[in-house]
Amino acid sequence: MDQLPAPGAIVGPDGLARPAWASVDPMLRDYYDTEWGVAVRDEHGLFERISLEAFQSGLSWAIILRKRPGFRAAFADFDPERVAAFDEDDVVRLLNDEKIVRNRLKIRATITNARATLALRESGGLVNFVWSFQPDATPAPRTQSDVPTSSDASVALSKALKKVGFVFVGPTTMFALMEAIGIIDTHLVDSHRRGSSGVWG
């Protein structure tokens, strides 16, 4: 006898279908409904997403999302020019800031990546660089277990970013970034948000 298929999206009290991770916590549900998977094509927004994805490494996204206001306050609203100018006094300040994830390597990575972001302006900018790795096709997952955690495109993006000075941009982290900013669409096929990026039909 065939096994029953794994459950797909969960229909909430509002009648809308979402994946399990976005169906209970109101904060995650709002993030899923309004932001996750929506195309991000501005340097400021993209630098923030890269920074937050790096901080998320090894942690749950819910932790990062709850601390996002604190991150924005601590990192000058993720203005790459201002963050690129951070010095050792700022590192010490950030390590003492309870409103963020106090990880020295990740704090330094954010400053390093801000400087790399500015350097990329000489060759087309961060947005064009990252979006040039948009693949020809996007996944079409029916269940959360169908969603991959990396891809050829995320591996290539990771390698390319490292070559131009970025750190904490591994293939899994870059796959999560590509999902979050709409380069790929990993919304479950029966989710009410499938196709919401405007990039994929």
Side-chain angles (χ1 to χ4, degrees):
M1 184 175 177
D2 292 337
Q3 289 184 324
L4 292 173
I10 297 171
V11 178
D14 56 4
L16 300 177
R18 303 176 181 87
W21 68 264
S23 63
V24 179
D25 185 322
M27 177 191 65
L28 288 174
R29 184 171 61 239
D30 181 66
Y31 172 69
Y32 180 81
D33 284 352
T34 62
E35 185 174 355
W36 190 75
V38 175
V40 176
R41 297 183 185 272
D42 66 286
E43 181 191 73
H44 186 169
L46 189 48
F47 173 64
E48 177 180 359
R49 303 315 197 285
I50 288 175
S51 301
L52 293 178
E53 292 291 350
F55 271 102
Q56 187 271 335
S57 180
L59 302 172
S60 76
W61 181 245
I63 290 172
I64 302 303
L65 205 55
R66 285 190 180 91
K67 289 181 175 286
R68 193 180 198 179
F71 275 114
R72 285 175 166 170
F75 284 96
D77 198 33
F78 290 104
D79 179 335
E81 291 188 6
R82 293 175 65 188
V83 177
F86 280 11
D87 57 19
E88 285 305 307
D89 288 341
D90 289 296
V91 173
V92 172
R93 168 180 62 82
L94 292 164
L95 285 169
N96 287 296
D97 191 337
E98 296 180 355
K99 295 181 180 178
I100 69 169
V101 173
R102 294 178 290 176
N103 179 299
R104 186 184 299 272
L105 291 177
K106 293 177 181 179
I107 288 169
R108 290 190 185 279
T110 305
I111 299 168
T112 295
N113 291 346
R115 293 168 182 167
T117 295
L118 298 189
L120 270 180
R121 290 178 178 177
E122 299 177 6
S123 55
L126 179 64
V127 173
N128 288 338
F129 189 94
V130 171
W131 276 87
S132 72
F133 289 87
Q134 180 184 333
D136 294 329
T138 193
R142 294 192 173 277
T143 69
Q144 200 61 40
S145 61
D146 294 334
V147 180
T149 57
S150 66
S151 66
D152 290 345
S154 76
V155 170
L157 174 58
S158 171
K159 290 179 179 178
L161 284 169
K162 288 175 182 177
K163 282 185 178 180
V164 294
F166 285 77
V167 292
F168 267 88
V169 288
T172 301
T173 299
M174 289 303 93
F175 189 82
L177 175 76
M178 295 169 87
E179 292 179 288
I181 67 171
I183 289 181
I184 54 174
D185 186 350
T186 58
H187 288 289
L188 302 185
V189 293
D190 54 353
S191 165
H192 82 101
R193 295 290 291 167
R194 182 74 185 176
S196 58
S197 69
V199 177
W200 304 96

